[in-house]
Amino acid sequence: MGGARSDGDRRDRNRPRAPQAVARLPRQVREELTDRLRQTRRAFGESDVQVVEPPLLRRAVGASALGNCMEWFDFGVYSYLAATIGKVFFPGASPAAQVISSFATFAAAFVVRPLGGLVFGPLGDRIGRQKVLATTMIMMAVGTFAIGVIPGYGTIGIAAPVLLLLARMVQGFSTGGEYGGATTFVAEYSPDRRRGFLSSWLDFGTFVGYALGSALVTVLNLALTDQQMLSWGWRVPFLVAGPLGVIGLYMRLKLEESPAFQQQLDEHEKALVQESARSEFQDIVRSHWPELLVCMGLVLLYNVTNYMVTGYLPTYQTETLKRSSGSGDLLVLIGMLWIVVLITFLGRLSDRVGRRPVYGVAAAAMIVLAVPAFVLIKAHGTWPPILGVLLLATLLACFAAPSAATLPALFPTAVRYAAMGIGFNFAVAAFGGTTPLVTAALVTATGDDLMPAYYLMLAGAIGLLTVRFLPESAQVPLKGSRPMVGSHQERRELITVSEELYAFTRERERRQLRSHPG
């Protein structure tokens, strides 16, 4: 025993002790920096660390979040008005068929989302994120405004639902390039230490847009009679899209291109991204399929929950639980406002404890709490339904907060926009956007009004499995990009840490060679 202890003591004495600054680094950051230092065979210099000036960072994050708010206001009001739209455009069908037909048109926008991702993703990797995001902004505004001016079925017959479908497809096509581009843009602007917090502002904008849409619909439902809503009131939220689109376009045209995109545009990268979109798609699938599967699993978890709460829950309360549209919309609005309060705090939490714990705990909680949440939503009274919606909203906030930082970190800069367009949009089209349609059909077919909860439990199980394969990216530089910091002081600190880490790594390697000379 004594010999064993002395051998262990000798090994401890031979093992170099990490400097305090190096020891404080999160494990994933230390491993990533060590790999980079081994490749360069030197510590970082000033040119190796990118500084994002605070005014530029605030403008990039603010404009992206504001544009996203406007975009998702446009996209979200449809779900709040699904029952009314069903009566306007499908008047001959039964109430259940009207809802399903309306949600089928809702889901049609998601069918073309992958096509939008396949077009806008490679384009964003070639010509830049900013130009594509300005294009998606104006396309969404045009598509939404068009819905507001389409005559109803009683005026132009079958042409009405056909035009509605076309307008929804324009929305879906533009959205195919929106979220992947916006998350890529914000992630590439954010300092590594604060990427979770800063990127969470993008989804903050998303839910503010949802909340504004919900609030406007709620006010209209309370202020107007049912006949007035059917006649003209439902058009108001869609007509607001015109001026909002102009404001969003102006904001996005004022942005500068992201530092990571500018960095990768040397001659080698220019040659790399000139290949055709088809060959790029094949290369991404072939080379990055594990990351694509992880991306799709997390997107499924986030968006099934998202569209269950924002897309299906208002209709579930009016059509299944037979509550007034005003009370149903108000309940969802409370949930949206709760998400807005939580989301940036959860983004900051993901920077501190990591993305994986936030996703994992919330996915496990979804499996346990989905049924109790819907039991509360179904209950009579005021507070049980509010508590049920707040439970679902809290879980949704946990999935939304880290997403804009986690998903872009899966892919390298040269293909990040395109890969996000593939992984995100295919998952949303297959699982997220179809959630209201599938859930409404399941409730109608089975008569079981807890079907939405079972659907969420399945999404939670898939999400929990996905987290097992998710690499931790909190505070880690993006693949293919220089480390990002928020000030020159932080750059000096990182350079000093890299010098200590490089010296520590070299000393450890020398001692290993002396211990094992063969």
Side-chain angles (χ1 to χ4, degrees):
M1 292 291 291
R5 256 195 316 270
S6 62
D7 289 343
D9 293 342
R10 198 158 40 244
R11 283 195 297 270
D12 289 339
R13 286 194 300 270
N14 289 334
R15 185 182 297 121
R17 192 173 298 278
Q20 192 173 26
V22 172
R24 285 199 301 264
L25 291 174
R27 180 183 57 82
Q28 70 273 11
V29 178
R30 187 167 61 248
E31 291 176 353
E32 175 66 21
L33 295 183
T34 299
D35 288 342
R36 294 190 180 214
L37 295 175
R38 282 174 177 160
Q39 292 172 11
T40 59
R41 303 185 66 81
R42 61 177 178 80
F44 293 149
E46 289 198 358
S47 62
D48 298 312
V49 181
Q50 176 77 45
V51 178
V52 183
E53 298 295 341
L56 191 62
L57 176 62
R58 285 194 296 270
R59 189 162 69 246
V61 173
S64 298
L66 181 61
N68 215 45
C69 172
M70 296 174 180
E71 188 112 6
W72 288 96
F73 170 88
D74 294 353
F75 204 73
V77 291
Y78 188 99
S79 62
Y80 304 131
L81 290 166
T84 302
I85 288 172
K87 296 173 184 176
V88 172
F89 288 92
F90 309 98
S94 66
Q98 286 177 350
V99 171
I100 292 174
S101 298
S102 181
F103 278 137
T105 309
F106 179 80
F110 292 86
V111 174
V112 298
R113 279 186 70 155
L115 181 60
L118 290 176
V119 171
F120 288 124
L123 200 60
D125 286 330
R126 290 190 181 93
I127 68 173
R129 287 68 162 117
Q130 181 262 353
K131 296 182 181 68
V132 173
L133 287 173
T135 303
T136 61
M137 182 79 255
I138 196 63
M139 285 186 67
M140 173 61 78
V142 169
T144 309
F145 186 81
I147 293 176
V149 298
I150 297 173
Y153 188 93
T155 303
I156 60 174
I158 192 64
V162 171
L163 290 174
L164 175 66
L165 179 63
L166 290 175
R168 286 291 297 164
M169 292 176 76
V170 170
Q171 285 185 317
F173 188 79
S174 69
T175 308
E178 167 62 25
Y179 190 80
T183 54
T184 294
F185 189 79
V186 173
E188 290 178 347
Y189 253 109
S190 300
D192 300 330
R193 294 180 185 176
R194 304 172 64 213
R195 184 169 295 117
F197 170 67
L198 292 170
S199 295
S200 68
W201 284 97
L202 188 65
D203 286 280
F204 174 91
T206 295
F207 288 102
V208 168
Y210 274 131
L212 289 175
S214 177
L216 181 54
V217 173
T218 301
V219 169
L220 289 170
N221 279 323
L222 293 174
L224 302 178
T225 65
D226 290 345
Q227 186 56 43
Q228 288 173 323
M229 280 296 294
L230 281 172
S231 175
W232 57 269
W234 70 270
R235 298 182 184 275
V236 173
F238 295 102
L239 296 177
V240 172
L244 286 182
V246 173
I247 296 171
L249 179 63
Y250 172 78
M251 294 293 294
R252 289 191 168 177
L253 288 175
K254 298 290 286 183
L255 292 173
E256 295 182 20
E257 194 51 79
S258 73
F261 180 78
Q262 293 176 11
Q263 175 194 335
Q264 64 100 28
L265 282 182
D266 57 25
E267 291 306 316
H268 171 70
E269 296 286 354
K270 284 180 181 177
L272 180 66
V273 299
Q274 289 304 315
E275 58 185 346
S276 69
R278 179 179 177 183
S279 63
E280 183 175 3
F281 172 81
Q282 293 172 341
D283 178 67
I284 290 171
V285 173
R286 183 170 55 249
S287 302
H288 300 286
W289 64 266
E291 292 87 356
L292 284 172
L293 289 178
V294 170
C295 176
M296 293 176 72
L298 294 179
V299 171
L300 181 154
L301 177 65
Y302 173 14
N303 280 274
V304 165
T305 312
N306 184 14
Y307 289 106
M308 186 70 75
V309 174
T310 62
Y312 180 67
L313 202 53
T315 302
Y316 176 77
Q317 295 185 81
T318 56
E319 301 302 316
T320 303
L321 303 182
K322 305 304 179 183
R323 292 173 179 160
S324 68
S325 57
S327 63
D329 291 338
L330 183 60
L331 204 56
V332 174
L333 176 59
I334 291 171
M336 295 301 97
L337 294 176
W338 179 239
I339 293 172
V340 168
V341 170
L342 285 181
I343 194 165
T344 57
F345 292 100
L346 292 169
R348 192 188 298 273
L349 179 67
S350 77
D351 283 328
R352 294 173 62 89
V353 305
R355 323 288 189 224
R356 297 180 79 245
V358 174
Y359 276 120
V361 170
M366 176 68 81
I367 298 171
V368 175
L369 296 177
V371 169
F374 269 88
V375 169
L376 288 169
I377 290 170
K378 289 170 52 184
H380 297 293
T382 301
W383 291 107
I386 290 176
L387 180 57
V389 169
L390 290 180
L391 276 176
L392 294 180
T394 301
L395 296 174
L396 176 53
C398 291
F399 303 142
S403 288
T406 305
L407 301 178
L410 294 168
F411 307 103
T413 301
V415 298
R416 184 171 294 128
Y417 200 150
M420 280 287 295
I422 295 169
F424 186 87
N425 289 302
F426 274 88
V428 172
F431 308 109
T434 59
T435 292
L437 172 64
V438 172
T439 308
L442 286 173
V443 170
T444 300
T446 64
D448 187 348
D449 54 15
L450 285 179
M451 272 294 167
Y454 306 146
Y455 203 74
L456 288 177
M457 291 174 67
L458 177 61
I462 294 172
L464 196 59
L465 177 64
T466 302
V467 171
R468 292 191 60 188
F469 301 95
L470 174 67
E472 183 56 73
S473 59
Q475 303 187 38
V476 175
L478 294 174
K479 296 179 180 179
S481 302
R482 287 176 288 182
M484 299 277 288
V485 296
S487 68
H488 294 278
Q489 174 63 29
E490 286 185 24
R491 178 164 65 180
R492 287 191 292 270
E493 292 173 359
L494 182 56
I495 290 173
T496 300
V497 169
S498 76
E499 292 169 347
E500 295 180 354
L501 179 58
Y502 184 66
F504 169 69
T505 303
R506 291 293 304 271
E507 177 63 20
R508 186 173 58 186
E509 290 173 349
R510 281 196 294 267
R511 294 194 184 194
Q512 288 174 347
L513 285 174
R514 286 199 297 267
S515 301
H516 307 282

